[in-house]
Amino acid sequence: MKKYYGYLQRIVLPFFILSLFASAYCQSKLGSTNYYLKLEGGRILYGNLEYVIPNIGGDYVKVNDTSYYTRDISSFNCSWGYFAKFHLDTLSNKVEIFKRTKEGKIDFYIGKTTQYSAGVGNMGPMAYDYQENYYTKDKVHLLENNYNNLSKSLSDNPVSMDFLQQYKTARYLGSGYVITGIVGAVYGISELDHNQYVSGSIFTVLSAIVFYLSWNQYNAQDTALKNAIRAYNE
């Protein structure tokens, strides 16, 4: 029996000690963070970081219980992701904090949207829109995510430009379908008002089909833009 216990001690004890070291190592790694705040002057602060978006007043970042406001912030990384400050409106001196959603040759960002809350606490990431409305290619200038801007930013990639041409075609087709659908609907309703039920019904149904085709072209536009961006970032 003693030999049996001695055998268990030789086998189990080393594994037990090793598991303690492994557990301590994992807890140390989990306890450490890569969260940081970069200030306008280039100074970088590390520590316990919290991004606060109050219902009243400006945004600020707390690092180890010290608050830093938008005017002092360049960028930061927290549990909600990476955020950066940009000067979006060239006609004013207003700066805003944007959340990065995709990183690549061009980075995509979302901006804050209007939120309504009965409380006065931190609104958190819910204050940001779900649409990727902005992007930057040089990490400095933030641009609206639309055809006109992308056609300039992606001009050095032929595949992306092909997708943007598909977007342009879908946009023209969509506009044409909408105009045709409106004309058909108006004519069909007019025919029904004049008791021309057959022709009126036909034009009304055709206008509904045309409106459906225009919606398909809208989806095609969205797909073409996404494909252009994906091709550029590959």
Side-chain angles (χ1 to χ4, degrees):
M1 198 66 157
K2 290 182 179 179
K3 288 184 179 180
Y4 177 74
Y5 280 116
Y7 176 78
L8 285 178
Q9 287 176 348
R10 288 195 299 271
I11 298 297
V12 175
L13 189 59
F15 278 102
F16 178 74
I17 294 173
L18 181 62
S19 66
L20 288 178
F21 277 109
S23 176
Y25 175 77
C26 290
Q27 288 178 5
S28 174
K29 294 296 286 183
L30 289 173
S32 64
T33 72
N34 293 319
Y35 300 155
Y36 66 87
L37 167 67
K38 184 178 181 181
L39 300 176
E40 274 295 341
R43 183 185 173 196
I44 299 178
L45 306 175
Y46 297 91
N48 297 321
L49 190 148
E50 181 186 3
Y51 181 26
V52 181
I53 310 173
N55 288 342
I56 301 175
D59 302 359
Y60 61 93
V61 175
K62 291 180 68 175
V63 182
N64 300 327
D65 296 327
T66 301
S67 299
Y68 299 88
Y69 289 85
T70 301
R71 63 179 180 274
D72 304 315
I73 297 170
S74 174
S75 61
F76 61 91
N77 183 34
C78 67
S79 59
W80 300 338
Y82 176 84
F83 295 79
K85 182 177 71 176
F86 288 98
H87 181 196
L88 187 62
D89 187 358
T90 57
L91 300 179
S92 73
N93 294 322
K94 184 180 180 181
V95 292
E96 296 180 44
I97 300 294
F98 295 83
K99 184 181 188 297
R100 187 174 66 194
T101 54
K102 284 192 181 75
E103 184 178 11
K105 295 177 183 177
I106 53 177
D107 299 336
F108 284 84
Y109 285 81
I110 55 177
K112 281 184 294 186
T113 184
T114 302
Q115 293 288 319
Y116 298 95
S117 173
V120 293
N122 187 9
M123 291 191 291
M126 288 183 60
Y128 279 81
D129 197 358
Y130 65 93
Q131 295 182 341
E132 295 168 340
N133 294 325
Y134 307 98
Y135 74 93
T136 178
K137 187 176 179 180
D138 58 7
K139 315 292 184 183
V140 176
H141 301 94
L142 199 66
L143 302 173
E144 289 190 28
N145 185 10
N146 57 44
Y147 171 80
N148 291 333
N149 288 332
L150 288 172
S151 62
K152 298 174 184 176
S153 299
L154 310 184
S155 60
D156 54 341
N157 187 303
V159 177
S160 294
M161 294 307 294
D162 287 342
F163 282 121
L164 288 179
Q165 183 59 45
Q166 293 178 19
Y167 168 89
K168 191 175 181 179
T169 301
R171 184 174 65 180
Y172 286 141
L173 285 174
S175 299
Y177 284 141
V178 169
I179 294 172
T180 302
I182 292 174
V183 172
V186 170
Y187 183 79
I189 293 172
S190 175
E191 288 289 279
L192 290 173
D193 287 341
H194 290 83
N195 298 325
Q196 301 296 320
Y197 298 113
V198 175
S199 60
S201 299
I202 291 174
F203 274 94
T204 302
V205 171
L206 288 177
S207 66
I209 295 174
V210 172
F211 278 125
Y212 175 76
L213 293 175
S214 70
W215 178 255
N216 284 344
Q217 292 305 313
Y218 174 81
N219 291 334
Q221 293 175 50
D222 184 61
T223 300
L225 279 185
K226 290 179 179 177
N227 287 336
I229 293 163
R230 176 188 52 77
Y232 195 87
N233 274 337
E234 286 181 346

